[in-house]
Amino acid sequence: MPVVLTGESPAVKAGGVLIQQLEAVEVRALPDQIPEAIEVDISRLERFYDAIRVGDLEPPPGTRFLTAPEALIVVVEPPEAEGQSGSGSAE
């Protein structure tokens, strides 16, 4: 089942880098209850290193996640210092 990220992360707005580790999760559901995708709201990722794992999600009605609860879906990493150091050293 594909994972779709929704919303805007305050940590990303502050310069963080959003890294999606898991693009799909395995689910169990009756054929008429299988969702098209699992939506993950990233607006709660407020600081660098905030993450969302499968266990943090509420499965849709009639659906159960088979992917391990500790599996990392998305994390916000701090910006790399490389981009900041190159701009002020021109002589």
Side-chain angles (χ1 to χ4, degrees):
M1 186 66 41
V3 172
V4 177
L5 304 180
T6 63
E8 292 185 27
S9 164
V12 172
K13 285 183 178 180
V17 179
L18 188 71
I19 299 175
Q20 186 172 354
Q21 296 284 328
L22 198 60
E23 296 190 13
V25 293
E26 194 173 345
V27 300
R28 173 170 287 161
L30 294 173
D32 63 336
Q33 294 181 320
I34 297 175
E36 289 187 30
I38 302 298
E39 291 189 0
V40 177
D41 182 8
I42 62 169
S43 62
R44 65 183 186 185
L45 300 175
E46 297 178 354
R47 295 179 300 273
F48 300 144
Y49 301 111
D50 278 357
I52 299 174
R53 299 180 185 281
V54 172
D56 298 327
L57 303 179
E58 183 71 31
T63 303
R64 192 178 87 185
F65 292 127
L66 299 179
T67 302
E70 64 275 4
L72 184 65
I73 296 175
V74 65
V75 63
V76 178
E77 302 250 332
E80 292 184 27
E82 185 179 314
Q84 297 172 352
S85 64
S87 62
S89 61
E91 288 186 28

